[in-house]
Amino acid sequence: MKTIKLLTGYFLLATLMVSCYTEVIIEDDFIEESAFNTDQVLQSYDLWYVDINATRGNGEVPFLQRAFTVSFNRGVLYANNNIVGIGKTGGGLGIDVGTYGTLRGTVDIDHDIDGSWFLEVYAVNNNTIELYDASSDTSYYLKGYQTNRFDYDMVFYDNINYFIQEYDAWEKIYTSESGALNDFDNENYLQFLPSFFRSSIDAPNTSISNLQWDFEGNYEVYNVQGDNSLKTLTLDYDFFGDDYFELYVINDSTIELYHPDSGTTYEFRGRGYQEYLKSGKGVESKKRIKTSNPTMNVERKKAK
C-alpha cells in the first residue's frame, strides 16, 4: 500500500498559456491545492514518456502499459502507442484516446477502450511525475518533454524490440556492392515476432500474404557497452547456425543491418505497418513489459 502522500522537492514546470509557456516553481503540496493546479502540472509538458521499466507494483493500467508517450491537452488524452510515426502523428502528441478531468492531486481518465481510471498524481523531481493506481497499488513514472526537445532517436533505440515487430515483414531494398558473398545475400524478407524470427528468399515485391517463410529461429537484440546509438542482432537459425549484425535505425520505416563477417551492408524497409489505435489489431498483444536487453562488450565495426 502506498503511504507517502506529500510531494517532495521543487517541481519546475511550465504553465500552459495561449501563446507561450511561463515557468513556475511548484512547492511540495502544490498539486494538492486544487484541480486547476493539477491540470497545470499535467499540461506543463507536451509529452510524458512512460518509463515502463520503472513501473512499480504487480497491477496494470492498460493504456499506460501500451503507450510510449501520453499527453494531457485541455481535457483530451493523447497517446503514442507506436514508435512508427512518433513525432509526426497528431503533431507529435499521437492519437486521441480519451478525455480527462482533474481534482485535487488526482486525474480522472475516461479512456475510449479501457474505461474509467482514477489516478493519483505525484511530483518526483523537476520533470518527472508518478501516476498511482490505488486499486492495484501500481505506480507509473512519466518523464516530461517539450516536443522540440524530445529525443526521438532515444525512443527508437530504447524500444528497438517493439519497433522491429511493428511491421508484418521487412523487405530487403539494398545490398552493398562491397562485402564477401554469404548465405544471407539470398534472404529478401525478415519477420520479427515476440519470441522468434522468420526469413524468406522470395523475390522482391512479393505480396506479404504470399510469402513462404523458408527459415526460422531465435533472435536476440543486444545493447552495446558505451554506445547508446548502436544495437546488435543475432539470428540463430534452426539447423543452420547463426548470423551477427550491427543494427541501425535509418528512419521509422527503414533499418540497416551491417554484417561484420562479410563486410556487407543491407537495408530493409518495413511492410504491413501494424498501427495500434484505440481498438482492433494488436491492442492486447502489444502491451509493453519490462525488458532489459543483454549487453555486448564489442566495438562498432561499421564506420560512422
Side-chain angles (χ1 to χ4, degrees), residues 226-254:
D227 194 340
N228 294 329
S229 63
L230 172 65
K231 300 293 180 182
T232 59
L233 170 71
T234 59
L235 303 179
D236 185 6
Y237 292 84
D238 293 345
F239 312 113
F240 294 106
D242 58 13
D243 268 318
Y244 166 76
F245 302 91
E246 294 179 358
L247 170 60
Y248 300 94
V249 177
I250 297 177
N251 54 45
D252 65 0
S253 63
T254 313

Side-chain angles (χ1 to χ4, degrees), residues 112-167:
D112 292 346
I113 295 301
D114 299 321
S116 296
W117 293 83
F118 190 76
L119 306 176
E120 298 173 23
V121 183
Y122 297 89
V124 176
N125 57 38
N126 68 322
N127 69 336
T128 306
I129 60 172
E130 173 189 356
L131 296 184
Y132 175 66
D133 175 36
S135 66
S136 64
D137 193 23
T138 301
S139 292
Y140 288 83
Y141 293 87
L142 284 63
K143 188 171 183 179
Y145 296 90
Q146 308 302 356
T147 52
N148 62 352
R149 305 184 77 175
F150 188 56
D151 187 351
Y152 291 100
D153 289 343
M154 172 271 294
V155 179
F156 280 93
Y157 281 98
D158 279 1
N159 298 279
I160 193 76
N161 303 65
Y162 296 106
F163 172 50
I164 62 177
Q165 294 174 31
E166 284 191 4
Y167 288 98

Side-chain angles (χ1 to χ4, degrees), residues 172-195:
K172 186 188 291 178
I173 58 172
Y174 170 79
T175 301
S176 64
E177 293 184 3
S178 60
L181 294 175
N182 67 93
D183 290 338
F184 193 75
D185 289 340
N186 299 319
E187 298 182 48
N188 291 320
Y189 294 90
L190 290 171
Q191 182 185 64
F192 295 97
L193 299 166
S195 57

